[in-house]
Amino acid sequence: MVWTAALVGALGGGAVAAPRPKIEETTQLKALSASIDALKSDDLTLRNMALQALQKSRPKEALPHVLLLLRVSDADVRGYAAAVLGALGDPTAAEYLLTAARTARFTWELADEIKALGRVGKGNPKVLTALRATLDDTRSPEVVRAATFDALGRLEEADALQDVVDLV
C-alpha cells in the first residue's frame, strides 16, 4: 500500500473533508423543500402562503410543482400559482397558462393568468394570438383588458406593442 501512504502524505497526512455547504444555501434548500411540501397541503392558507414565498424567492426547482396547481379548483390557488409562474419567467409555463386561462371562472383569476403570460410568452405566437383575441373581445371586463395591455407590453415584441398603440 505504498501508493495509499503516498496519497495520504500528499493530502497533508489526513483525510480530506467534503466541502460543507454554506449555511445560507442549506437554509434556502430547507425553505424550498418546506414550500414545495406545503403546496401539497389541503390547507388553502398554507398553500397560498407557500406560493407567496415562492413568488418572492423564484426558485426554478418549484416550476413542476406550481404547474400542477393550475389544475386545482380553488381560484385563489390558481391565481397565486399564475403569479409564481410569471415571476419564474419560464417559457414552458405558457401552454399551461393558456389552458388555465380558458378555464378561469373569475375575472381576477383570468387577469392573473394573463399577466403571467406576458412574463413567460415572449416569442410564443399562441400567446400573442390569445392576447389579441382578448383585446378584440369587447365583452372582456376592464380588469382583463388592463391585464392584457400589461401582458402585451411585457412581451416586448413590435407586433404586440403596435396592438397596444393602436388601441390607445
Side-chain angles (χ1 to χ4, degrees), residues 44-94:
L44 295 178
T45 302
L46 179 61
R47 203 184 308 180
N48 289 345
M49 289 174 60
L51 284 165
Q52 289 172 346
L54 291 171
Q55 184 178 4
K56 289 179 184 174
S57 61
R58 299 182 182 144
K60 299 289 183 195
E61 300 85 355
L63 179 69
H65 305 281
V66 177
L67 287 173
L68 292 174
L69 294 178
L70 289 177
R71 297 180 185 163
V72 301
S73 61
D74 186 84
D76 284 335
V77 172
R78 287 170 52 124
Y80 281 127
V84 172
L85 293 171
L88 291 175
D90 191 311
T92 59

Side-chain angles (χ1 to χ4, degrees), residues 132-160:
R132 283 180 170 157
T134 303
L135 275 185
D136 290 342
D137 185 355
T138 57
R139 299 169 296 152
S140 292
E142 197 63 34
V143 68
V144 172
R145 291 177 66 77
T148 305
F149 275 112
D150 178 72
L152 286 167
R154 289 183 184 276
L155 291 179
E156 299 176 349
E157 296 177 19
D159 289 347

